[in-house]
Amino acid sequence: MAVGSDIVTPELVGKHQFDELLDPSFDATHYAHELVRSRDTMELKADKISSIMTDLSATSSSLDARMRATVLGTHEQILEQVLGVASVDVTLEQVEDQVREIKQYMHALRTKIRVPYEQALEYTRQARNLQLATRHVRATSKFMQLVRRLAVQIPESGGRPDYALAALTLVDIERLVDTSDLCGIDVVDRALATEVTPRRQQTANEANEMLVGGMRRQHQSDVGSGLQILFNLGIISNAVDTRIQASIAALHTIITGRIDPRALHIGVREHNARATAIDGRDMVGIDTILWTRQEDMIDAVLASGLEVRVLERVLQRKRDVLRVDARVDASYLDVVASKLGDRVLALWWTKVVDTIAREIHASCDESSVVRQILTNNYPRLVQLFLPRLEPLLAARLGGVTSVRDLQSSVASVLISDEDTGCAGDVDLAQSPNVRYSDWGMRVLWTRLLSVFEAEYVNKAASRMDDSVSRCFPAPPPAGLVDAQSTWAQRHNTKSDELQAVSTVPNRKLVASVVRSVGTELEMAKSDARLCTMVARAATRAISSFVATTKDRLLSVMDNPRVVDPCAATAHPMTRSVIGLINCVEALRVGISELCQPADQPLTAPAQSVLCTCRDELQTFIDAQSDVLLDAADRAISQALLDVDNSSLWSHAEHALQWLQTQVLEPLDPRRSSRVHTMTDSYLTLFVHTVCVTMPLTETAKLRLASELPQLEFACSQAASTMGVRVTGDAYKSVRQMRPLLFMTSRELAQVLGERSAEWSSVSELDLLNHVVCRVATEEEAACVPHELLGCSRREWLGCVAGSEFVESTDVCRNKEMLHLWDTRNLSASCRAVVCECLKRMLEHKLADDLVALIQAALSMK
């Protein structure tokens, strides 16, 4: 008997001895045999079997009891569930009965609603058909009324047609036919064929005739009437476009082949043949025929352009005032421009310029002669269009304007200031009302004139560059240079003199540069843009002249003897430096005259360019002449500052003579202010030198007294060369120093005590230094100034006279003088040092007149 797992209970699971019995593979027979064959005693085996059987019996009884209890408990639950299912079945049957009743009610309700709805739909459909029929009848009736009105407005015979109102009637008829779908109605089709279409064609033809005739006669009333009819017909844009295309086609016929090189040669031969047959005087060349035919082309363009301008003016003035939905501020021109893309005159002008440009460029590509004629006479080419086409190009006179031009900003101007060299709103001299910023002029310049303008400017620049290059020819070949050197040696001529002659350009050649610039500016004066560009080209040519001059100056000044005022003899190349500077000065004078011509002034941009060039030339001249003046100034100042050199005047006189003869006399630029400043500084320095001369013996006084008028005369001569007179405090102090030298100590003390206006030109520091030197000379052993101060003579000169007498700041630095010296106030420091020196002189035993002199000097205010 096998025991399955379905009867497993908790009690059995807890007993491990039954694990083997509960095994699904348990075999009772096999288990019994194993139990019998075991080695236990029989009593143990019997006890074991009895125990197992007892347990099995107890377990079986317990299992039966539990099964009975389970069945009884489950039965009650099953009975309760059965009763619940029965009640649910009853409820479901009741629900089904209710649903069935609802369906019957809904079916009856649907029948009551659907039938009236279908009837209402049918009635609505019938009403719609009736409405459509009524609308067609009304439209047909209105159509017949409009046809009768059209017949009255345009009668077949007799009466004056009213085409403007007829156009409105035709538009109403077309709108009615399009919106009402009257096609297929016999009366409507017959009326359209016999009444409407012929009258519409008649109205359109009449409007076109009025438009064409009004444009030809410049009659704005006829043009306005024609446009009004075309606008009412709704074909104004197409009609205007047709007129523009017809005008362009007519001009294309006139322009095409007009200036073809072969046609030009044929025209020249025919004209000269006729002239030869008469008397042979009226012979012409290809340029005459070219300009004549171009003038004929421009005349035809002007005639056609005036017609288009009248058309645009009337389009701009006319407005639709009859329609309720029309914009009050919208003109016919706005309507046409919105469909054509731009204004009428702008479209026409753009295409005409393209035709002219294409013809001229084709002729230039085929013949270089034609290109050369147009390029060389570019100002005449501009005058070919202006002022002849001024009524078309001047925006302020109602000329060409574009929608794109009105919508564009200033930054998007086609011709920028950098490209043209001048402002975009400058006027042309021959046409004051035309500006380069106008749309028509932009199109003309961009598509035609710009190419020839660039070529003309390049040729003008080349001509001016050639005039500059003639001033500085290429160096001669080596063989010619050797020959020149041999000739110079044979005729005792220095090679420097020969080089000086070849370095400086000829004045006539320099004048030719100015004439070339003036001629180019005069030819371009009528065109502000062209004049400015030529002025810029002239500036570049002059800049090359200045650059070459600068290179030559640098090559000449590499030799230090050229600008050496202290040389025994002047170097020949010094005059070459002056000659080069004078050439630039001549160029500057010529440019200055061109900046403000007497007859007709240049345009403001061109004047600005030339004035800038003139200022640059002036800066170059000042810089190069300052090199020579600085060299002379440095040499003269060093000679005058050399206090310890008794022959200082000889060196200064030599340098002054070099300044006058080698620089100022041949120099053309007027450096009056600089020369006046230099001479004043020389006089001042010499007065300082006289006042610190020590020992001041009678011989020294006589020498200084003789040198003072010589210096005065030399400075006066140098200043008079520049047209300046030597005056001022420096001149007065020189004139007063001579009597001051020969005064006695008592007389000098009286002068210092009074300090009248007569001696006010001599500075206080110079007077104090003169007193120190006079006292030191008379008391030479005891009153040496620098020994009193405990410094060297050079340091003393630096302390009492300032930094003019020393190249470095080697002033007195001893401890006793530090409290007197202030580098921030040089004049007060020098005065303090001199006064300290005078005070220390008083500590020695001096003569009464010297003591009085020192006291007067110390008390001087």
Side-chain angles (χ1 to χ4, degrees):
M1 177 180 180
V3 180
S5 61
D6 296 336
I7 60 174
V8 176
T9 61
E11 291 80 359
L12 294 178
V13 173
K15 297 179 178 181
H16 297 286
Q17 63 270 22
F18 297 115
D19 288 343
E20 186 176 1
L21 301 178
L22 295 177
D23 189 3
S25 62
F26 175 74
D27 188 2
T29 304
H30 179 71
Y31 181 77
H33 285 295
E34 289 294 331
L35 184 60
V36 173
R37 286 197 298 267
S38 63
R39 295 180 181 181
D40 295 334
T41 62
M42 292 301 291
E43 293 178 359
L44 292 177
K45 292 179 180 179
D47 292 338
K48 189 173 185 179
I49 292 172
S50 297
S51 176
I52 292 173
M53 292 302 291
T54 300
D55 292 336
L56 287 175
S57 297
T59 302
S60 176
S61 299
S62 176
L63 183 60
D64 290 340
R66 287 182 176 274
M67 288 178 63
R68 187 179 298 111
T70 301
V71 169
L72 291 177
T74 306
H75 179 265
E76 295 295 334
Q77 294 178 358
I78 292 173
L79 289 178
E80 292 176 359
Q81 292 177 0
V82 169
L83 292 176
V85 171
S87 62
V88 170
D89 291 339
V90 174
T91 304
L92 289 176
E93 290 177 359
Q94 294 176 356
V95 171
E96 287 179 358
D97 295 339
Q98 292 177 0
V99 170
R100 191 178 300 109
E101 291 176 0
I102 290 173
K103 287 183 178 179
Q104 292 176 358
Y105 176 76
M106 291 300 296
H107 181 71
L109 184 61
R110 184 184 303 165
T111 302
K112 292 179 180 181
I113 294 176
R114 184 174 183 180
V115 173
Y117 174 73
E118 292 178 353
Q119 291 177 355
L121 288 178
E122 183 64 23
Y123 294 153
T124 303
R125 190 180 302 111
Q126 293 174 2
R128 186 185 299 113
N129 293 335
L130 181 60
Q131 184 181 4
L132 291 175
T134 304
R135 186 181 300 170
H136 279 80
V137 171
R138 188 182 295 112
T140 305
S141 175
K142 185 177 181 180
F143 174 80
M144 296 307 299
Q145 291 178 4
L146 292 175
V147 170
R148 285 194 295 271
R149 185 195 302 174
L150 181 62
V152 173
Q153 293 170 350
I154 305 178
E156 293 183 357
S157 62
R160 183 176 180 180
D162 192 348
Y163 290 106
L165 295 179
L168 291 175
T169 303
L170 288 169
V171 172
D172 293 338
I173 291 174
E174 290 182 357
R175 188 181 296 113
L176 180 61
V177 172
D178 293 338
T179 57
S180 301
D181 191 15
L182 299 179
C183 297
I185 301 176
D186 183 63
V187 64
V188 174
D189 293 341
R190 185 169 57 253
L192 287 174
T194 59
E195 300 290 340
V196 178
T197 302
R199 283 179 170 81
R200 177 181 177 82
Q201 187 64 36
Q202 181 182 352
T203 304
N205 293 338
E206 183 65 22
N208 285 324
E209 291 178 2
M210 294 173 64
L211 179 61
V212 174
M215 291 174 60
R216 185 180 299 110
R217 297 188 304 272
Q218 302 287 302
H219 197 286
Q220 296 187 10
S221 179
D222 291 347
V223 175
S225 299
L227 290 175
Q228 182 67 53
I229 296 172
L230 294 172
F231 182 81
N232 293 339
L233 290 175
I235 59 173
I236 185 171
S237 299
N238 296 333
V240 171
D241 188 33
T242 302
R243 291 307 313 152
I244 294 175
Q245 298 302 328
S247 175
I248 294 173
L251 289 176
H252 185 270
T253 304
I254 296 174
I255 294 173
T256 304
R258 186 68 176 169
I259 57 174
D260 183 73
R262 290 184 294 273
L264 293 176
H265 286 292
I266 293 173
V268 171
R269 287 196 298 269
E270 292 177 353
H271 184 278
N272 291 338
R274 290 193 299 270
T276 303
I278 299 175
D279 54 4
R281 296 180 180 179
D282 191 18
M283 304 291 287
V284 297
I286 188 174
D287 54 343
T288 303
I289 300 298
L290 174 62
W291 291 112
T292 301
R293 293 194 174 186
Q294 288 189 123
E295 290 174 358
D296 295 340
M297 289 165 46
I298 300 304
D299 290 338
V301 171
L302 177 61
S304 180
L306 292 176
E307 296 179 2
V308 179
R309 190 184 70 165
V310 170
L311 175 62
E312 182 173 294
R313 283 186 174 182
V314 178
L315 284 170
Q316 190 170 10
R317 294 174 182 173
K318 294 287 289 183
R319 282 171 170 77
D320 184 13
V321 296
L322 297 179
R323 298 182 183 180
V324 179
D325 58 345
R327 288 173 51 195
V328 178
D329 58 340
S331 63
Y332 287 2
L333 182 60
D334 297 331
V335 176
V336 174
S338 63
K339 293 185 178 181
L340 299 184
D342 205 345
R343 295 195 169 193
V344 176
L345 192 57
L347 288 173
W348 174 86
W349 176 247
T350 302
K351 294 182 180 180
V352 169
V353 170
D354 288 340
T355 304
I356 297 175
R358 187 164 49 251
E359 181 67 20
I360 292 179
H361 290 321
S363 180
C364 292
D365 293 340
E366 190 173 349
S367 174
S368 60
V369 176
V370 176
R371 177 179 291 276
Q372 185 176 1
I373 293 173
L374 295 178
T375 302
N376 294 340
N377 298 276
Y378 172 73
R380 183 176 179 181
L381 180 62
V382 176
Q383 294 173 4
L384 183 68
F385 295 94
L386 296 170
R388 190 169 301 174
L389 296 183
E390 183 176 346
L392 302 180
L393 297 179
R396 65 179 71 178
L397 299 180
V400 181
T401 55
S402 174
V403 175
R404 288 170 289 177
D405 184 31
L406 297 177
Q407 295 175 351
S408 62
S409 60
V410 178
S412 62
V413 175
L414 294 178
I415 308 173
S416 63
D417 297 352
E418 296 180 358
D419 296 335
T420 61
C422 61
D425 58 347
V426 293
D427 298 337
L428 287 86
Q430 68 270 23
S431 298
N433 294 314
V434 179
R435 298 182 178 183
Y436 271 103
S437 58
D438 294 340
W439 178 263
M441 197 61 196
R442 289 189 207 171
V443 174
L444 180 62
W445 186 89
T446 304
R447 307 192 181 190
L448 177 61
L449 298 180
S450 58
V451 177
F452 297 101
E453 182 186 68
E455 293 180 0
Y456 178 83
V457 172
N458 290 335
K459 287 191 174 183
S462 178
R463 289 191 289 268
M464 290 184 287
D465 291 338
D466 290 341
S467 63
V468 171
S469 61
R470 286 193 295 270
C471 295
F472 302 98
L480 182 58
V481 174
D482 296 338
Q484 290 177 350
S485 301
T486 303
W487 181 87
Q489 294 176 0
R490 186 177 303 169
H491 293 82
N492 295 326
T493 303
K494 296 182 180 180
S495 59
D496 292 339
E497 296 178 358
L498 196 62
Q499 182 182 0
V501 174
S502 61
T503 300
V504 182
N506 193 335
R507 285 295 186 93
K508 294 182 178 180
L509 296 178
V510 177
S512 68
V513 175
V514 179
R515 285 196 303 271
S516 176
V517 173
T519 302
E520 299 297 340
L521 290 174
E522 184 67 28
M523 294 178 64
K525 189 182 295 184
S526 60
D527 190 342
R529 182 198 319 280
L530 182 63
C531 186
T532 304
M533 296 182 70
V534 171
R536 291 183 181 278
T539 301
R540 290 192 293 271
I542 294 173
S543 298
S544 66
F545 183 95
V546 172
T548 306
T549 303
K550 186 175 182 179
D551 293 340
R552 293 203 172 190
L553 286 173
L554 292 175
S555 63
V556 170
M557 291 182 180
D558 284 341
N559 187 356
R561 294 179 55 246
V562 174
V563 289
D564 184 11
C566 299
T569 57
H571 198 279
M573 294 302 292
T574 305
R575 289 298 182 97
S576 299
V577 175
I578 300 298
L580 290 172
I581 297 175
N582 290 339
C583 288
V584 181
E585 172 65 14
L587 198 59
R588 187 198 65 81
V589 172
I591 296 300
S592 300
E593 295 176 355
L594 293 177
C595 290
Q596 297 178 348
D599 51 353
Q600 182 180 359
L602 298 175
T603 59
Q607 283 187 351
S608 176
V609 172
L610 291 180
C611 289
T612 303
C613 178
R614 178 198 60 194
D615 296 341
E616 292 176 353
L617 291 176
Q618 184 64 54
T619 302
F620 176 81
I621 293 170
D622 293 343
Q624 299 303 324
S625 57
D626 282 342
V627 174
L628 300 174
L629 296 178
D630 290 344
D633 187 37
R634 191 163 45 251
I636 296 171
S637 299
Q638 289 177 355
L640 293 178
L641 290 173
D642 194 0
V643 180
D644 297 330
N645 189 357
S646 59
S647 62
L648 62 93
W649 168 242
S650 61
H651 297 293
E653 182 182 20
H654 185 77
L656 276 170
Q657 184 179 6
W658 181 87
L659 173 64
Q660 179 181 350
T661 59
Q662 299 296 321
V663 178
L664 297 181
E665 289 181 356
L667 188 65
D668 290 343
R670 300 290 90 186
R671 301 302 307 277
S672 305
S673 177
R674 174 68 189 279
V675 172
H676 186 269
T677 303
M678 291 169 60
T679 53
D680 279 353
S681 66
Y682 301 154
L683 296 175
T684 302
L685 287 177
F686 195 75
V687 170
H688 289 335
T689 303
V690 171
C691 291
V692 296
T693 300
M694 189 183 65
L696 191 62
T697 60
E698 292 298 326
T699 304
K701 291 180 180 180
L702 292 175
R703 178 177 60 81
L704 293 175
S706 63
E707 290 175 354
L708 281 171
Q710 294 180 28
L711 176 65
E712 176 189 348
F713 177 76
C715 291
S716 300
Q717 289 295 106
S720 63
T721 306
M722 293 285 106
V724 181
R725 295 184 60 186
V726 178
T727 57
D729 292 340
Y731 174 72
K732 293 178 182 179
S733 63
V734 170
R735 301 294 299 270
Q736 292 172 354
M737 282 305 299
R738 185 173 182 180
L740 196 67
L741 290 172
F742 295 98
M743 287 183 179
T744 62
S745 299
R746 190 179 301 277
E747 293 173 344
L748 183 58
Q750 184 178 359
V751 169
L752 296 179
E754 296 176 357
R755 190 75 166 125
S756 61
E758 180 183 359
W759 302 97
S760 60
S761 299
V762 183
S763 67
E764 179 183 353
L765 183 62
D766 290 337
L767 291 175
L768 292 174
N769 287 328
H770 180 66
V771 171
V772 170
C773 293
R774 182 183 286 256
V775 174
T777 301
E778 295 186 9
E779 300 292 337
E780 182 176 1
C783 295
V784 179
H786 59 273
E787 293 181 357
L788 292 176
L789 296 176
C791 60
S792 64
R793 174 176 170 77
R794 198 65 177 170
E795 290 177 341
W796 173 74
L797 289 176
C799 288
V800 300
S803 59
E804 296 103 343
F805 290 86
V806 288
E807 296 181 357
S808 60
T809 57
D810 51 349
V811 295
C812 180
R813 295 300 181 190
N814 57 345
K815 296 181 180 180
E816 297 181 1
M817 305 301 296
L818 285 178
H819 67 284
L820 300 175
W821 193 256
D822 185 7
T823 55
R824 294 173 297 179
N825 192 345
L826 183 63
S827 178
S829 300
C830 293
R831 188 183 186 283
V833 171
V834 176
C835 291
E836 181 67 20
C837 183
L838 291 174
K839 292 177 183 178
R840 296 188 180 187
M841 286 181 175
L842 287 176
E843 297 176 358
H844 296 77
K845 187 176 181 179
L846 303 176
D848 294 340
D849 55 347
L850 294 180
V851 172
L853 178 60
I854 294 175
Q855 292 177 349
L858 292 175
S859 62
M860 183 175 54
K861 297 182 180 179

